[in-house]
């Protein structure tokens, strides 16, 4: 048996206890509820046994450099996709502004469109960020990964 939850919300929080009550232990997969719940304290408990899509890989050297710098400054390591996405987005904006031919909305757009092959913290090693005139989807490569919660630990699935 397998259950794939294609919802967008916290219903997944009620599913694991319901499965336990029913005595049913299917393989379980979800998308965004996994990403959201894993940053909260309740995440590992309610997602035990679940597989899900996520956007961070602790082996990504760009992500590791960000985490090292963050820990040095703030004394903690935010190992989750929100920190990787925040870091990448900030870098894209900074590069876009640096490349902008003028200080305007159009200037920023043109500046962003000059970004090529900027190594990303999101996803696995080798993921890059680039834009072009008709391509405004930044991440190129393996920017989604599969993770699971096993024995209360959020781990990467190969």
């Amino acid at each position: 048996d397998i259950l794939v939850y294609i919802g967008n919300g916290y219903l997944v929080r009620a599913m694991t206890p319901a499965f336990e009550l029913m005595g049913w232990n299917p393989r379980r997969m979800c998308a965004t509820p996994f990403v959201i719940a894993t940053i909260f304290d309740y995440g590992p408990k309610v997602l035990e046994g679940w597989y899900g899509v996520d956007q961070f890989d602790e082996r990504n050297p760009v992500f590791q450099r960000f985490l090292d710098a963050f820990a040095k400054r703030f004394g903690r390591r935010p190992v989750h996709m929100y920190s990787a996405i925040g870091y990448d987005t900030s870098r894209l904006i900074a590069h876009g502004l640096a490349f902008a031919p003028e200080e305007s909305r159009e200037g920023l757009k043109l500046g962003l469109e000059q970004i090529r092959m900027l190594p990303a913290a999101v996803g696995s090693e080798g993921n890059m960020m680039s834009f072009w005139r008709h391509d405004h989807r930044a991440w190129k490569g393996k920017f989604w990964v599969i993770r699971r919660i096993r024995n209360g630990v959020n781990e990467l699935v190969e």
Side-chain angles (χ1 to χ4, degrees), residues 32 35-37 39 54 56 78 80-87:
T32 54
V35 171
I36 295 165
I39 67 164
D54 214 326
F56 80 95
H80 51 73
M81 64 76 99
Y82 292 104
S83 58
I85 286 175
Y87 179 67

Side-chain angles (χ1 to χ4, degrees), residues 30 36 48 50 52 59 75 88 99-100 103 134 140 144 146:
C30 64
I36 295 165
E48 182 65 42
W50 285 84
R59 301 169 306 173
D88 280 354
F99 292 143
E103 292 181 14
H134 299 293
K140 314 286 192 275
W144 289 107
I146 304 295

Side-chain angles (χ1 to χ4, degrees), residues 49-80:
W50 285 84
Y51 290 76
V53 296
D54 214 326
Q55 289 187 280
F56 80 95
D57 179 341
E58 54 269 57
R59 301 169 306 173
N60 182 330
V62 177
F63 188 48
Q64 281 304 315
R65 284 192 299 275
F66 159 73
L67 290 172
D68 292 344
F70 191 96
K72 184 176 180 181
R73 182 163 184 190
F74 298 105
R76 62 186 181 88
R77 296 177 74 81
V79 182
H80 51 73

Side-chain angles (χ1 to χ4, degrees), residues 26-153:
R27 286 187 175 212
R28 304 161 226 182
M29 178 84 181
C30 64
T32 54
F34 188 90
V35 171
I36 295 165
T38 55
I39 67 164
F40 295 108
D41 292 339
Y42 66 78
K45 182 177 181 189
V46 300
L47 290 172
E48 182 65 42
W50 285 84
Y51 290 76
V53 296
D54 214 326
Q55 289 187 280
F56 80 95
D57 179 341
E58 54 269 57
R59 301 169 306 173
N60 182 330
V62 177
F63 188 48
Q64 281 304 315
R65 284 192 299 275
F66 159 73
L67 290 172
D68 292 344
F70 191 96
K72 184 176 180 181
R73 182 163 184 190
F74 298 105
R76 62 186 181 88
R77 296 177 74 81
V79 182
H80 51 73
M81 64 76 99
Y82 292 104
S83 58
I85 286 175
Y87 179 67
D88 280 354
T89 303
S90 299
R91 289 173 54 230
L92 287 170
I93 292 169
H95 280 77
L97 289 170
F99 292 143
E102 61 183 56
E103 292 181 14
S104 68
R105 181 177 168 166
E106 181 66 15
L108 177 58
K109 176 184 164 294
L110 294 171
L112 287 169
E113 289 174 350
Q114 300 308 306
I115 297 172
R116 303 281 185 281
M117 305 300 286
L118 183 63
V122 163
S124 295
E125 181 176 5
N127 190 30
M128 298 285 178
M129 298 181 291
S130 292
F131 290 110
W132 191 239
R133 190 173 14 172
H134 299 293
D135 178 9
H136 294 157
R137 197 185 93 223
W139 290 283
K140 314 286 192 275
K142 191 174 179 186
F143 54 92
W144 289 107
V145 297
I146 304 295
R147 300 188 69 87
R148 70 178 165 204
I149 304 294
R150 184 168 62 174
N151 299 322
V153 176

